[in-house]
Amino acid sequence: MRTIDDRLAALLAAAVFSASPPLLCGCTQAAPAPRALGQVAAAPLGQRFASEPAPTPSFPDPERGLKLRAAAADVQAIAQRGAERERLPALALGVVIDEGLAIRALLGVRDVAAGGAVDEHTRFRIGSVTKPLTAAAILRLRDEGRLSIDAPAARYLPALAGVVYPTRDARQITVRDLLTHSSGLPRLGVFSPASTSRDVTEREILATLDGFGLESAPGTETSYSNLGYSLLGLLIARTAGAPYRRYMSDALLGPLGMRDAAWDASQVPPGALASPHARGEGGAVTPIQPWRLGDSEATAGLYASLADMGRFVGFQLAAWPARDAPETGALRRSTVRESHMMARNGSAFAAAGDDGGPGLGWHVREDCDLGHVVFHNGLIDGYSASVVLLPQRGVGIVALTNVAGADLESLNAEVLGRLAATGAMVARVVPPSPPVRRAAEAVASVIGRARTEALDRRLRPGWFPEAHLASLRRTLRDAGARVGACALDGSSTVESATSARFGLRCERGALSVTVRVDTSPDPRITSLSVDEQTGAIAREGPRPSDRPARCR
């Protein structure tokens, strides 16, 4: 049987998202005046909200955070072994718990020739982990009403009208296709590759699109495309009416507090850069010059520190669970959650039997033990990076190093395995909604009673045939004769927002009741059953549907 470590390493390695050539913008096209940057777009007008909010899922163990943090020494040891095994010049590894960087492992030197200790503000290039940030900028522009991700991308980047579609029935490439690697564009463009001596220009990138053939019809296959994200960077600049770098800084990096972020090694203060390294004969590493991505940098160009990435991961985790609290981030929480879900809506997604696929800027997978896993890797000349999010568990991992091709996936998996061994890396549990709990209380109140009016008032009128009601009343009378009066015992298993199973403590035994209510303004019972309790019911346990069907 494969362990969590083995399976996590496999699923992360399945999406090694590497980087390629560059992006920015001359921005001659007029654009709408931007919303005050740093402010979250308001919810659409006309939405109605429940007068009685749904209960917020929470972690059942009040000592959870302390137990996870207690693994810090073991995480440090895992990082040390991994750095030695991989012969890494430097490693910055962090565990984010909820919204904060809780565990840090900082190892090695910034440059094997010049030395220099690593700290949490040392800058590493994060490669394709830049893509989730680029996607976030697109989604922010969407939320502001300045673009539609389901519109043809050529509406915002007219040069895309020059690509050649493989079949006459192919639809146009949409912005969503670019986000989900389902546009039919190849991994790399045919413009001059990134180098250490010159920047790729917007003109070069766009000129190659004229007559450029797609590998597949948009929306029919997923094929990882650095070129697609280079184009998204140009599209952001055109739509925002500002250079890509400036918009990213004002709309995302600044509000997120990513103060160490930079787009060029020359912007990093002396003594703060982890130099890129390459492996030579026998695995020895030597410093090299960094690639200059120029106008294709939206795909893989950002430099960031562990402190920066901890804030970014904390921001991602803070979007979960859905709740009524005010919006305070650079992006609406619902938008962040949307980016973490496997993309459908007309775009390609994983085939049946494979529970992984693209999100919006992320890769997403359902794991039998860890549940919802959101991740992205980065590989660019001289650097490797990896980010893993467990939204249901409020845990994230960041790993940064300054040599390409490092096996950070196995390192992350080992850290997750250690955190799981604490017993505290559990998913939030969903308490029953008040209408569902009231329905169960109504059922419990009539067991062993001659009159059932308290329950009858909670049933949906006309929903139950009279014969069914008569049978139900007999069942409740018979149960009461066996076990006496009952009340809820505090245990429950939530099946959905409108259904749950509750444990009942009775005078002479125990029962369980399963109820379902409708979603009308005055929720009424549409289904119920009462059974002998044959085993303990989890105290407000997770929904069975939270586990993938193949794992149940």
PDB file of all heavy atoms in Angstrom, residues 305-319:
ATOM      1  N   SER A 305      10.454  35.819  -1.762  1.00  0.00           N
ATOM      2  CA  SER A 305      11.081  35.218  -0.582  1.00  0.00           C
ATOM      3  C   SER A 305      10.125  34.232   0.075  1.00  0.00           C
ATOM      4  O   SER A 305       8.930  34.179  -0.250  1.00  0.00           O
ATOM      5  CB  SER A 305      11.435  36.308   0.421  1.00  0.00           C
ATOM      6  OG  SER A 305      10.246  36.926   0.914  1.00  0.00           O
ATOM      7  N   LEU A 306      10.635  33.491   1.031  1.00  0.00           N
ATOM      8  CA  LEU A 306       9.766  32.596   1.801  1.00  0.00           C
ATOM      9  C   LEU A 306       8.719  33.402   2.551  1.00  0.00           C
ATOM     10  O   LEU A 306       7.559  32.987   2.660  1.00  0.00           O
ATOM     11  CB  LEU A 306      10.605  31.760   2.771  1.00  0.00           C
ATOM     12  CG  LEU A 306       9.825  30.756   3.625  1.00  0.00           C
ATOM     13  CD1 LEU A 306       9.153  29.705   2.760  1.00  0.00           C
ATOM     14  CD2 LEU A 306      10.733  30.103   4.654  1.00  0.00           C
ATOM     15  N   ALA A 307       9.107  34.566   3.082  1.00  0.00           N
ATOM     16  CA  ALA A 307       8.139  35.417   3.775  1.00  0.00           C
ATOM     17  C   ALA A 307       7.016  35.830   2.831  1.00  0.00           C
ATOM     18  O   ALA A 307       5.830  35.793   3.197  1.00  0.00           O
ATOM     19  CB  ALA A 307       8.841  36.652   4.343  1.00  0.00           C
ATOM     20  N   ASP A 308       7.377  36.238   1.607  1.00  0.00           N
ATOM     21  CA  ASP A 308       6.360  36.592   0.603  1.00  0.00           C
ATOM     22  C   ASP A 308       5.431  35.425   0.320  1.00  0.00           C
ATOM     23  O   ASP A 308       4.197  35.561   0.304  1.00  0.00           O
ATOM     24  CB  ASP A 308       7.041  36.969  -0.719  1.00  0.00           C
ATOM     25  CG  ASP A 308       7.594  38.378  -0.729  1.00  0.00           C
ATOM     26  OD1 ASP A 308       7.192  39.195   0.115  1.00  0.00           O
ATOM     27  OD2 ASP A 308       8.434  38.658  -1.602  1.00  0.00           O
ATOM     28  N   MET A 309       6.018  34.273   0.047  1.00  0.00           N
ATOM     29  CA  MET A 309       5.214  33.129  -0.353  1.00  0.00           C
ATOM     30  C   MET A 309       4.365  32.622   0.807  1.00  0.00           C
ATOM     31  O   MET A 309       3.265  32.092   0.599  1.00  0.00           O
ATOM     32  CB  MET A 309       6.111  32.019  -0.897  1.00  0.00           C
ATOM     33  CG  MET A 309       6.841  32.404  -2.182  1.00  0.00           C
ATOM     34  SD  MET A 309       5.732  33.028  -3.486  1.00  0.00           S
ATOM     35  CE  MET A 309       4.761  31.551  -3.821  1.00  0.00           C
ATOM     36  N   GLY A 310       4.840  32.793   2.032  1.00  0.00           N
ATOM     37  CA  GLY A 310       4.006  32.460   3.176  1.00  0.00           C
ATOM     38  C   GLY A 310       2.757  33.320   3.219  1.00  0.00           C
ATOM     39  O   GLY A 310       1.661  32.841   3.521  1.00  0.00           O
ATOM     40  N   ARG A 311       2.909  34.622   2.903  1.00  0.00           N
ATOM     41  CA  ARG A 311       1.739  35.509   2.869  1.00  0.00           C
ATOM     42  C   ARG A 311       0.791  35.107   1.736  1.00  0.00           C
ATOM     43  O   ARG A 311      -0.433  35.117   1.897  1.00  0.00           O
ATOM     44  CB  ARG A 311       2.178  36.962   2.691  1.00  0.00           C
ATOM     45  CG  ARG A 311       2.934  37.515   3.890  1.00  0.00           C
ATOM     46  CD  ARG A 311       3.227  39.006   3.733  1.00  0.00           C
ATOM     47  NE  ARG A 311       4.014  39.498   4.841  1.00  0.00           N
ATOM     48  CZ  ARG A 311       5.337  39.600   4.841  1.00  0.00           C
ATOM     49  NH1 ARG A 311       6.029  39.284   3.751  1.00  0.00           N
ATOM     50  NH2 ARG A 311       5.979  40.046   5.901  1.00  0.00           N
ATOM     51  N   PHE A 312       1.369  34.770   0.587  1.00  0.00           N
ATOM     52  CA  PHE A 312       0.536  34.379  -0.545  1.00  0.00           C
ATOM     53  C   PHE A 312      -0.240  33.106  -0.229  1.00  0.00           C
ATOM     54  O   PHE A 312      -1.447  33.020  -0.482  1.00  0.00           O
ATOM     55  CB  PHE A 312       1.415  34.172  -1.776  1.00  0.00           C
ATOM     56  CG  PHE A 312       0.678  33.696  -2.993  1.00  0.00           C
ATOM     57  CD1 PHE A 312      -0.328  34.464  -3.555  1.00  0.00           C
ATOM     58  CD2 PHE A 312       0.988  32.478  -3.583  1.00  0.00           C
ATOM     59  CE1 PHE A 312      -1.020  34.033  -4.685  1.00  0.00           C
ATOM     60  CE2 PHE A 312       0.312  32.039  -4.708  1.00  0.00           C
ATOM     61  CZ  PHE A 312      -0.692  32.820  -5.260  1.00  0.00           C
ATOM     62  N   VAL A 313       0.421  32.118   0.346  1.00  0.00           N
ATOM     63  CA  VAL A 313      -0.263  30.868   0.693  1.00  0.00           C
ATOM     64  C   VAL A 313      -1.301  31.116   1.781  1.00  0.00           C
ATOM     65  O   VAL A 313      -2.419  30.584   1.734  1.00  0.00           O
ATOM     66  CB  VAL A 313       0.763  29.805   1.125  1.00  0.00           C
ATOM     67  CG1 VAL A 313       0.075  28.599   1.761  1.00  0.00           C
ATOM     68  CG2 VAL A 313       1.595  29.363  -0.068  1.00  0.00           C
ATOM     69  N   GLY A 314      -0.958  31.947   2.775  1.00  0.00           N
ATOM     70  CA  GLY A 314      -1.929  32.276   3.810  1.00  0.00           C
ATOM     71  C   GLY A 314      -3.174  32.930   3.240  1.00  0.00           C
ATOM     72  O   GLY A 314      -4.302  32.642   3.676  1.00  0.00           O
ATOM     73  N   PHE A 315      -2.981  33.806   2.259  1.00  0.00           N
ATOM     74  CA  PHE A 315      -4.112  34.458   1.589  1.00  0.00           C
ATOM     75  C   PHE A 315      -4.979  33.421   0.876  1.00  0.00           C
ATOM     76  O   PHE A 315      -6.219  33.485   0.919  1.00  0.00           O
ATOM     77  CB  PHE A 315      -3.584  35.497   0.606  1.00  0.00           C
ATOM     78  CG  PHE A 315      -4.606  36.044  -0.340  1.00  0.00           C
ATOM     79  CD1 PHE A 315      -5.611  36.885   0.105  1.00  0.00           C
ATOM     80  CD2 PHE A 315      -4.567  35.717  -1.693  1.00  0.00           C
ATOM     81  CE1 PHE A 315      -6.557  37.389  -0.769  1.00  0.00           C
ATOM     82  CE2 PHE A 315      -5.508  36.210  -2.570  1.00  0.00           C
ATOM     83  CZ  PHE A 315      -6.506  37.053  -2.120  1.00  0.00           C
ATOM     84  N   GLN A 316      -4.348  32.470   0.207  1.00  0.00           N
ATOM     85  CA  GLN A 316      -5.110  31.425  -0.482  1.00  0.00           C
ATOM     86  C   GLN A 316      -5.918  30.601   0.510  1.00  0.00           C
ATOM     87  O   GLN A 316      -7.099  30.315   0.292  1.00  0.00           O
ATOM     88  CB  GLN A 316      -4.157  30.519  -1.270  1.00  0.00           C
ATOM     89  CG  GLN A 316      -3.364  31.206  -2.373  1.00  0.00           C
ATOM     90  CD  GLN A 316      -4.215  31.617  -3.547  1.00  0.00           C
ATOM     91  OE1 GLN A 316      -5.079  30.848  -4.000  1.00  0.00           O
ATOM     92  NE2 GLN A 316      -3.994  32.808  -4.060  1.00  0.00           N
ATOM     93  N   LEU A 317      -5.298  30.190   1.606  1.00  0.00           N
ATOM     94  CA  LEU A 317      -5.992  29.360   2.597  1.00  0.00           C
ATOM     95  C   LEU A 317      -7.110  30.126   3.290  1.00  0.00           C
ATOM     96  O   LEU A 317      -8.131  29.540   3.675  1.00  0.00           O
ATOM     97  CB  LEU A 317      -4.990  28.850   3.633  1.00  0.00           C
ATOM     98  CG  LEU A 317      -3.918  27.873   3.129  1.00  0.00           C
ATOM     99  CD1 LEU A 317      -2.917  27.575   4.240  1.00  0.00           C
ATOM    100  CD2 LEU A 317      -4.535  26.580   2.606  1.00  0.00           C
ATOM    101  N   ALA A 318      -6.927  31.440   3.443  1.00  0.00           N
ATOM    102  CA  ALA A 318      -7.923  32.252   4.149  1.00  0.00           C
ATOM    103  C   ALA A 318      -9.242  32.365   3.396  1.00  0.00           C
ATOM    104  O   ALA A 318     -10.242  32.796   3.973  1.00  0.00           O
ATOM    105  CB  ALA A 318      -7.358  33.648   4.416  1.00  0.00           C
ATOM    106  N   ALA A 319      -9.255  31.969   2.128  1.00  0.00           N
ATOM    107  CA  ALA A 319     -10.511  32.015   1.366  1.00  0.00           C
ATOM    108  C   ALA A 319     -11.483  30.922   1.799  1.00  0.00           C
ATOM    109  O   ALA A 319     -12.671  30.986   1.473  1.00  0.00           O
ATOM    110  CB  ALA A 319     -10.209  31.863  -0.123  1.00  0.00           C
TER     111      ALA A 319
END
